[in-house]
Amino acid sequence: MQPTPLLLLSLSLSLPMGPALSLDSPLAPLALAPTVPAPTSSTPALTLSSPSPDRGLSLYQAGQYRPAIDHWQQQLSNASPRDQASLHLNIGHAQIQLGQWQAAAASLNASQTLLQSLPPGPDRTFLQARTHQGQGHLAYAQGHLEQAQTDFANATQAYRSIGDLPGQYQSQLNHAKVLHSQGYTLQAEQQLEDLAQGLAHQAPSALGAETWRELGNLRQFTQGLEQAQGDLAKSWAMASQLQDSPQLALTAFDQGNLLYKQWLQDYGSNQAESLQIEAEAAYEQALTHSHDPGLHLQVWANRWYFQSRNPNLTTSEAADLRQSVEAAFAAAPRDRASLRARISDTLSLLDWQQANQIDPNFTDLAQRLAEAITGARQLQDKATESYGLGHLATLYRQTQDLDTALTLTQQALTLAQTLNATEILYRWQWQQGQILQDLGQLPDAEQAYEAAIASLELLRADLASLQGETRFSFREEVEPVYREYVRLLLTRRPDVA
């Protein structure tokens, strides 16, 4: 039977991508606690509590971002210039949570402009630092990692100039997250270890809980799951002591991910069932402690990803899970994390359908990827766009539309090259070689394989820093590149044998 042809779904074939994490490892959100308008004083407020109860802050912390924005906007007309700047900053943070990028940029710029009109002093510098942080969060959420680094560096400088140690620590954590996102694993780990050491002399804080959580997420790759679980346990203990629901939710989510990864490794063993029960309990804790639709999406998408690999999952259970996943997508903001989750979820859905001998609906799968690509373009997130295009090309290759598959792969490859994103570059060079070989263009295919192998050689130094099991998994993933290249050489040059 002929495969159903795919539609391009209004996607232009000329496309403009940044370095990226694995799609199975969605980026954790940066801390986005708003400042609270307060009377001007010579010493800037270093906490986020208001001298009097602030309804906007309560709404924000409950995940009610639209009502929080409405509340703060109503306060603007009667506020002083200083408090207007703080209100615009709060509004910008809430708009970031809603994925309203242009509105958030306008709010943060309004805050910055108002602050320029205030007399110099520690209070103004503190709010300028918070504005730089907000701009860094916005750039990070859109995938503009270099700009995020610049904004967080500006925030750090401002905090340092007024001796604000907690602010410096927060900027250091943000910087480490961006380094991790850029693939600089060892530098990020060292920065987080330095931060944890500095915070050891401070009272328990949300920042401390977040630092241990980030260390756990990173160390699963450098030191293994056992060390990572220990770090997450420290994060959970600190967040529990503080009764900090947002931190508890994020840590529970990451604990669920680690437990499910261990479940995959130990599947079929005596421990497997208890690991899955613990993982599901952790996910439920995350949903209970959080009102954030973005986090709810990550929980449901990851829950599907892991459970769909269980051969005992029934069709009815799968249908119920898919319904929950789609509801979570509908409620989540269209930010970088949700777009990457959509791409990853599409791939895991295809894997499940093929593993269960269900004919994939390629047009529906392509539609999902097309929506993610369109969203990435709107964010100007070139890394996510490259992932979407490359995997859309994979679908076209499966339907034997090789010319379209090659065009999309070349576009994904061009985006990766402009960003010098070696960790994704080799994937599309490899795929380009496969498609060219399918088309019978063997000399060009050979060149594409050679380019993929050259990119992999550049990754060797980073690979050496990873924990043994992670190195083994990566080698398993890339070994086919070398094997296919050798087979191609033998096809073209029998005398080589």
Side-chain angles (χ1 to χ4, degrees), residues 212-213 216-217 228-236 251 254-255 258:
W212 282 112
R213 185 174 65 252
N217 286 333
Q229 287 168 342
D231 293 335
L232 290 180
K234 291 178 183 177
S235 174
W236 179 266
T251 300
D254 291 331
Q255 286 175 324
L258 279 186

Side-chain angles (χ1 to χ4, degrees), residues 131 158 186 251 366 375 425:
T131 301
L186 287 181
T251 300
L425 186 59

Side-chain angles (χ1 to χ4, degrees), residues 304 307-308 313-324 352:
W304 163 260
Q307 290 197 23
S308 66
L313 182 71
T314 68
T315 303
S316 174
E317 290 170 338
D320 289 342
L321 265 176
R322 290 308 310 169
Q323 188 174 6
S324 297
W352 177 77

